[in-house]
Every structure is written in structure tokens, then in C-alpha cells.
Amino acid sequence: MELYNEAIDIATNPKHARWLSPLFLATDAFLCAAIILRIPYTEIDWKAYMQQVAQYRSGERDYALVKGDTGPLVYPAAHVYTYNALYNITNGGTDIFRAQYIFAGLYMSTLSVVMACYQNAKAPPYIFPLLILSKRLHSLFLLRLFNDCFAALALFTAIYFYQRRIFTVGSVAFAFGVGIKMSLLLAAPAVGIILLQALPFKNAINSVFLMAQIQFTLSLPFLLENWLAYLTRSFQLNRVFLYKWTVNWRFIGEKQFLSSEFAIILLCLHAIVTAIFLLSRWTRPSGLTLPALLKTIFRPRPPLIQQRMSLNVSPDFTMTAILTSQIIGLLYARSLHYQFYAYLAWATPFLLWKSRMHPALIYAVWTAQEWAWNVYPSTNLSSQVVVGCLAIQVIGVWVGTSGEYADVTPTSEIEEHKNGHIE
């Protein structure tokens, strides 16, 4: 019985994650090496990335003219700089083996940051094995070399520094991630509301300006050459993916998938669900409604009140809000491709835990999701499972966090009490 209790304590007590994480990392390092040595590399986008970088290196700065075998360049400037560095290291992109080991290092670095984020949020060790077991995630990093891998590192790096309350570094990481791939903009609503509650308004605005300045600086050479082509290509909000590649909405049929009505419905649902979380969950550290919180922009709280509100923005809340915002965006995305799993795989165990599911259900949902993302090409059933698992996470987090911050005293009441006491 004592051994059983000790095992339960190891599985559920967050303090054990400190010594268990290195064991998981070491295990995954061996797994990465085995995958690279035994499983053939699959060419998808790497060659096109290198072709586009070669044109950049030859002096081309007009996004309208930069193309590769898979089509035009459709990623922001940080993507170009990142793969330009890889071009140098991998002999013009020809040394695939070296590139794979670089991505193995990228994978291990991202996993280390993810585990650190989980520890900061005091997640239980029993969900940590799910962080190293994804076949699809290993494939994206080690066998496909997608740019989403760098964006995923930037996302979790931002979460880590926001958790540690080093907001400037977190904002730099988030901005660089957006500069690699605009998919990270899905987390922007949560990032904004976190900054607004954790920092005085002036500091929060400075963080937003910093992120904008980083984007402007990274993109300046391309903006000067053809600003319209850069903005419409790298942040192409109306981009339509081919039905044959979709992972999520295949089950609705191609005609409905390609219809503008369906796109509008998804956009509206995305906005509505994000608004629900903004109104009912993401402002809770302040103890204020969203309208009341926005009023603090024009009527800042006294320093003591602001500090109390800021301290309520915990590492747990920060990670939950940002990952939930990202997952809401994925749920209502018109089309997900397999590389989007880079943003999902390491978010799912945490969000399922936040839903307060039984561990057996957490593992069951994770397994179903992993199966669905490994079906190629996607089928009606696999796409239904993809959407269903995303919906379970969004609904689960909303239900599971219903009681959090219920005891937070609204800062307006604290201020009124203080003023009344002074009088």
C-alpha cells in the first residue's frame, strides 16, 4: 500500500516533474536519433524554402517575384532569415542529414521549454509522457523540417517568459514567432488581455509597440521594395487551401468546404467563442468585467491595486489563456494541414488536464487525436475526430476553469473600500 501511495504521489505531485523531466528528455533524445537514422526523410517544403532563400540571397526583395516549386513565398520575413541561416549551415540546403540534426536540436529545445512551462503551471507528472509520444510531432520536426517548428518554439518561449513575468523578452519571442508564421496571431487575444492585466497600461502598450516595431524592422527590406506584395503574401488572411490537403473539415464535403458562406460561419464562431472566453474567463485575475477592465485604460488603477491585479496573472492562467486562444483558432480554422499539429500536440495534454478530466479520459482523447492526425490522407472519420478533439479541449477548459479566481475581490471594490476607509 505504501508503494502504491508513493507511485500516486510521483504521478500527481508537481514537485516530481523537476527530476522526471530530464528522464523524459533523455528518452526522447534517443528516440529522435533513432528516427533520423532509421526512417527516410520526406521532401515536402524544404526544397521550396531553399529555392526561395536562394532568390533572396541573389538580391530579390519583391515578395511578388519570390517563388519555389510549391508556389510563391507566403511567410513573413523572420521565416526568410531563419531559413537563410539554415541555407548557410546545410550547404545550400543539400545536406539534409545535417538539417535533420539541427531540427532534432530544435525539437529538444522546444520540448525543454514546454516542460519548463508545464512545471511553472504546476501540471502533474502523469501527463508528461504525452509530451514525448507523438509520432506525428516527431515527423514534423525530424522528417519534414517545417517552419512551424520554429514558430512553436517561439510560442512556448513567449509563454515561459510571460510566466516568469519577464514581459519584454516574452513579447520579443512572440513577435519573432509571428514573423515566422502568422498562425501565432491566433494567440494574440490572450496575449493582449494578459499584458493589460499584468502590467500598467503604459507598459502594456509599450510591449505592443515593441512587437509592432520588431515586425516592421524584420520586414523593412521587403516593404521598401513592394509593401503591398509583402503584406498580402506574408499575412494572407483570405488564403484558401486545397480540399485534398485538409485535415479538419473534410467530412463536410468539398462544395461546402470551398464556399464563402462556410468561411464566414467559421469566422463568426471564432469571434463568438473568443469573446465568450474574454468575457467569462480571461479577465478573472482582475476581478473585473471586460468593459470595466477596458476603462482602466483611461482611468489607471492606483499602484497597489494594479500590483494586486498583476499578481493574480499566474503562470497557470498565462499558459491556459494563451493555449486556449490558439486552440480556439485551430478549431475554427477553415483548413488545417498536418504541420499545424506543431501548435497542438504540446498544448493538448495541458488543456485536457485543465478540463479536470480523469487521467484515463485524458489519455483516451489524446490517443484519438494522435490517431486522427496520423491518418494520411485524411478521411471523413479522421477529420471528425480532429474537430471533435479540438472541441472537447475548448469546452473542457471552459467548464474546468469555471471555479477559478472565484474568490478574487474586484479591484473596484478594493479601491472603494480603501477610499471609504481614508474618509
Side-chain angles (χ1 to χ4, degrees):
M1 190 65 178
E2 183 177 346
L3 186 61
Y4 172 80
N5 290 334
E6 185 174 341
I8 293 297
D9 182 66
I10 291 174
T12 58
N13 193 329
K15 73 177 183 180
H16 294 297
R18 178 173 296 183
W19 63 268
L20 286 171
S21 291
L23 298 180
F24 290 127
L25 286 168
T27 301
D28 212 351
F30 283 109
L31 182 58
C32 288
I35 291 171
I36 293 173
L37 292 173
R38 290 182 172 273
I39 302 178
Y41 160 79
T42 303
E43 171 56 43
I44 297 181
D45 284 339
W46 173 263
K47 184 178 178 182
Y49 293 163
M50 293 298 108
Q51 291 169 340
Q52 293 162 354
V53 166
Q55 294 170 54
Y56 164 78
R57 292 169 67 87
S58 69
E60 185 59 72
R61 298 295 183 270
D62 188 344
Y63 257 56
L65 301 178
V66 180
K67 298 178 175 62
D69 286 347
T70 59
L73 176 58
V74 293
Y75 305 117
H79 159 84
V80 177
Y81 303 139
T82 300
Y83 279 84
N84 182 49
L86 291 171
Y87 186 100
N88 289 325
I89 299 171
T90 61
N91 191 26
T94 60
D95 193 342
I96 300 296
F97 192 64
R98 179 178 294 179
Q100 286 183 279
Y101 273 100
I102 292 171
F103 271 78
L106 174 64
Y107 174 91
M108 294 304 301
S109 298
T110 310
L111 179 60
S112 298
V113 175
V114 169
M115 287 188 173
C117 291
Y118 273 58
Q119 291 179 55
N120 289 339
K122 300 188 183 306
Y126 70 78
I127 61 175
F128 277 59
L130 298 179
L131 302 179
I132 69 171
L133 293 177
S134 173
K135 175 184 176 182
R136 174 57 68 186
L137 190 62
H138 284 93
S139 173
L140 297 178
F141 275 83
L142 307 178
L143 305 177
R144 308 300 197 270
L145 315 182
F146 285 122
N147 60 353
D148 302 82
C149 304
F150 288 97
L153 173 60
L155 174 64
F156 281 99
T157 299
I159 291 172
Y160 174 81
F161 282 105
Y162 285 149
Q163 287 178 320
R164 306 294 294 179
R165 309 187 70 79
I166 308 174
F167 293 102
T168 298
V169 178
S171 295
V172 169
F174 185 73
F176 190 80
V178 173
I180 293 174
K181 197 161 186 180
M182 61 174 287
S183 304
L184 262 62
L185 285 174
L186 297 174
V191 170
I193 204 70
I194 286 168
L195 293 175
L196 186 58
Q197 294 175 98
L199 297 172
F201 178 68
K202 180 180 178 181
N203 294 8
I205 286 296
N206 286 340
S207 291
V208 173
F209 281 151
L210 174 62
M211 290 187 277
Q213 289 167 358
I214 290 172
Q215 290 301 317
F216 178 76
T217 303
L218 291 172
S219 60
L220 186 58
F222 307 103
L223 292 172
L224 292 174
E225 184 67 28
N226 187 340
W227 65 270
L228 183 59
Y230 177 78
L231 294 177
T232 55
R233 287 287 177 83
S234 61
F235 296 97
Q236 191 175 8
L237 299 177
N238 62 345
R239 185 180 180 189
V240 179
F241 293 99
L242 296 177
Y243 175 73
K244 68 177 182 179
W245 297 120
T246 186
V247 177
N248 52 339
W249 295 110
R250 178 176 295 277
F251 65 91
I252 68 170
E254 185 170 7
K255 182 179 179 180
Q256 184 65 33
F257 175 83
L258 295 174
S259 70
S260 58
E261 293 82 2
F262 180 61
I264 293 172
I265 290 172
L266 289 176
L267 182 61
C268 291
L269 288 173
H270 185 186
I272 290 170
V273 175
T274 300
I276 289 172
F277 273 86
L278 278 168
L279 294 169
S280 66
R281 294 293 182 270
W282 294 344
T283 62
R284 285 189 170 185
S286 67
L288 299 172
T289 63
L290 181 60
L293 180 61
L294 293 176
K295 287 181 181 179
T296 64
I297 295 173
F298 307 101
R299 184 174 177 267
R301 298 298 181 192
L304 180 59
I305 304 300
Q306 175 63 48
Q307 183 182 27
R308 290 185 180 183
M309 182 168 67
S310 177
L311 292 176
N312 286 334
V313 182
S314 65
D316 181 11
F317 171 82
T318 297
M319 187 164 174
T320 303
I322 292 177
L323 293 183
T324 303
S325 185
Q326 189 76 20
I327 298 305
I328 292 171
L330 295 180
L331 173 60
Y332 295 111
R334 187 171 185 178
S335 182
L336 296 179
H337 288 188
Y338 289 97
Q339 55 264 43
F340 282 80
Y341 201 53
Y343 312 108
L344 177 60
W346 281 320
T348 295
F350 181 80
L351 295 179
L352 291 177
W353 169 65
K354 289 298 297 181
S355 71
R356 302 184 184 277
M357 284 187 182
H358 188 278
L361 286 177
I362 291 176
Y363 273 75
V365 174
W366 181 91
T367 300
Q369 177 174 269
E370 178 70 16
W371 168 81
W373 281 85
N374 278 284
V375 174
Y376 177 81
S378 64
T379 64
N380 288 342
L381 177 59
S382 70
S383 64
Q384 288 171 346
V385 173
V386 165
V387 173
C389 289
L390 287 169
I392 287 172
Q393 290 169 66
V394 172
I395 296 171
V397 170
W398 190 81
V399 173
T401 58
S402 60
E404 294 186 359
Y405 293 99
D407 57 344
V408 172
T409 302
T411 54
S412 57
E413 292 183 13
I414 296 175
E415 190 173 357
E416 290 171 4
H417 175 76
K418 181 180 178 182
N419 292 337
H421 180 72
I422 291 175
E423 291 176 357

